[in-house]
Amino acid sequence: MTLAKKACKDYRIPLLAVLIFVIMSLVNKNFFTPYNIFTIADSISGYGIVALGFTFILLVGQLDISFGSVIALSACIFMMMLAEMNFLLALLAAIAVGCACGAVTGFFVATFRLSPFIVSMTMQLAYKGIALTITNQTPVSVPHPVLQAINNIKLFNIFPIVFFFFLLLAVLTELFLRNTQFGRNLFLVGGNISVADNLGIKARNYIWSAYIFQGLFAAIGGVVMMTRQFSASGNLALQGPMEVIPMVIVGGTSMAGGRGGALKTVGGVVLLKIIYNAMTMFSIPAPLQPFVKGLILLVVIVSDKYMERRHEKV
């Protein structure tokens, strides 16, 4: 395999993102502007961080659709605490809630080997119900000065600071997955759980940990979203799974487990956000945009299944 072919194979998603970005910049004069670049980068951060957490779930061959409600619950706790205490304590409380939600979902999946779809669907309703109850079905708005300060910081007068925070988390997550025994064992558990068990690796603990990581990143993502809108409710991130899951799969993390990574997820996040932004630029009607997103997800799932079967044959 030539160097060019290998580069196209390994980095096809980032290259595709760059290609679409260049084409859009040439076609639409309003695309390559500081304001639109800021809009794309700003929209990436919240769900992008959540997507890093979902990468852990797919790596161990599991599924979780409850993280949208975890985002909402964590954000509600954060904003309610922020009204009563300082920023750091409110942040720690939100993270603790996110990890606890992930631990509960993961406990039922890992310990009892229940269907992850059924468990996470059930917990999605439970977490949303808790969020709506504690907020009395009323949005919690706290224009805290720290949130406003974070929202106003722009590097190079274009990129929001939370975008670089997302990139930093992605790099740290990739290093953790590739350079620690725990991270490498996640790949092994997702690749073949029977082999992992035979090697003495407690697959149940790694699956459980993946859900806790998902809860952690969902909570952080929820807090980051608050730096943009300053208001949380139980209905926050209703479309979270439909936004996040395609990002991770497009990036190259297999739904079958054992293949993928955080930097691959970054590529998927950036690519889809550019496409979504392009749809707005071309004035595609809002009712039609979910259809396009669903079509993209269908193509990605079929492609992932094809690559999985091809990999098995090899």
Side-chain angles (χ1 to χ4, degrees):
M1 181 181 293
T2 65
L3 184 62
K5 287 184 178 180
K6 188 177 187 304
C8 289
K9 178 178 179 297
D10 295 341
Y11 304 103
R12 62 186 183 277
I13 298 302
L15 290 174
L16 182 59
V18 171
L19 178 62
I20 294 177
F21 186 88
V22 171
I23 292 174
M24 285 299 304
S25 300
L26 295 174
V27 171
N28 193 315
K29 64 179 182 179
N30 295 321
F31 189 82
F32 190 61
T33 60
Y35 174 77
N36 193 55
I37 294 174
F38 169 81
T39 300
I40 295 173
D42 196 39
S43 66
I44 282 173
S45 308
Y47 278 139
I49 292 173
V50 180
L52 295 176
F54 191 74
T55 303
F56 283 85
I57 298 295
L58 285 192
L59 282 179
V60 294
Q62 300 298 313
L63 180 66
D64 182 15
I65 61 172
S66 68
F67 58 81
S69 294
V70 176
I71 294 172
L73 179 57
S74 299
C76 288
I77 292 293
F78 173 72
M79 297 301 279
M80 293 173 69
M81 293 293 183
L82 198 60
E84 304 294 335
M85 58 184 66
N86 64 49
F87 180 87
L88 181 59
L89 290 178
L91 174 62
L92 293 176
I95 289 176
V97 169
C99 291
C101 291
V104 171
T105 305
F107 173 77
F108 287 105
V109 173
T111 303
F112 300 106
R113 299 291 175 97
L114 299 176
S115 166
F117 176 77
I118 298 299
V119 173
S120 60
M121 181 177 63
T122 303
M123 301 315 299
Q124 177 188 33
L125 297 175
Y127 300 146
K128 180 180 179 180
I130 295 173
L132 290 172
T133 300
I134 63 176
T135 59
N136 197 26
Q137 302 184 48
T138 304
V140 182
S141 301
V142 181
H144 196 275
V146 174
L147 295 179
Q148 294 176 338
I150 294 174
N151 184 56
N152 292 330
I153 298 176
K154 296 180 183 178
L155 297 184
F156 311 110
N157 204 31
I158 296 177
F159 298 98
I161 189 65
V162 290
F163 175 71
F164 288 94
F165 177 63
F166 159 64
L167 295 180
L168 175 62
L169 276 182
V171 171
L172 294 176
T173 302
E174 184 73 10
L175 292 174
F176 173 76
L177 290 173
R178 303 292 179 181
N179 298 321
T180 66
Q181 188 62 52
F182 185 92
R184 290 190 290 268
N185 285 347
L186 288 174
F187 285 93
L188 183 58
V189 170
N192 195 318
I193 192 170
S194 299
V195 171
D197 285 333
N198 291 334
L199 291 175
I201 298 173
K202 295 182 179 179
R204 180 182 66 181
N205 293 343
Y206 286 92
I207 293 173
W208 194 359
S209 299
Y211 279 90
I212 296 175
F213 276 112
Q214 170 70 95
L216 168 65
F217 282 92
I220 296 174
V223 171
V224 168
M225 290 178 188
M226 294 303 97
T227 65
R228 297 176 58 202
Q229 55 195 64
F230 310 112
S231 178
S233 74
N235 292 317
L236 179 69
L238 285 177
Q239 299 299 318
M242 285 302 298
E243 292 280 345
V244 170
I245 294 176
M247 293 174 179
V248 182
I249 300 174
V250 166
T253 299
S254 173
M255 294 181 67
R259 289 184 289 118
L263 294 184
K264 288 181 178 292
T265 294
V266 172
V269 172
V270 173
L271 174 61
L272 288 187
K273 283 300 182 180
I274 290 175
I275 292 175
Y276 296 162
N277 182 266
M279 287 194 293
T280 302
M281 282 288 175
F282 279 109
S283 301
I284 294 179
L288 188 60
Q289 291 189 18
F291 169 76
V292 177
K293 293 180 181 180
L295 187 61
I296 293 173
L297 178 58
L298 178 62
V299 171
V300 167
I301 291 175
V302 172
S303 301
D304 180 74
K305 197 65 178 178
Y306 170 76
M307 293 301 295
E308 178 189 336
R309 290 177 177 175
R310 184 176 178 182
H311 179 74
E312 289 175 353
K313 289 180 180 179
V314 173

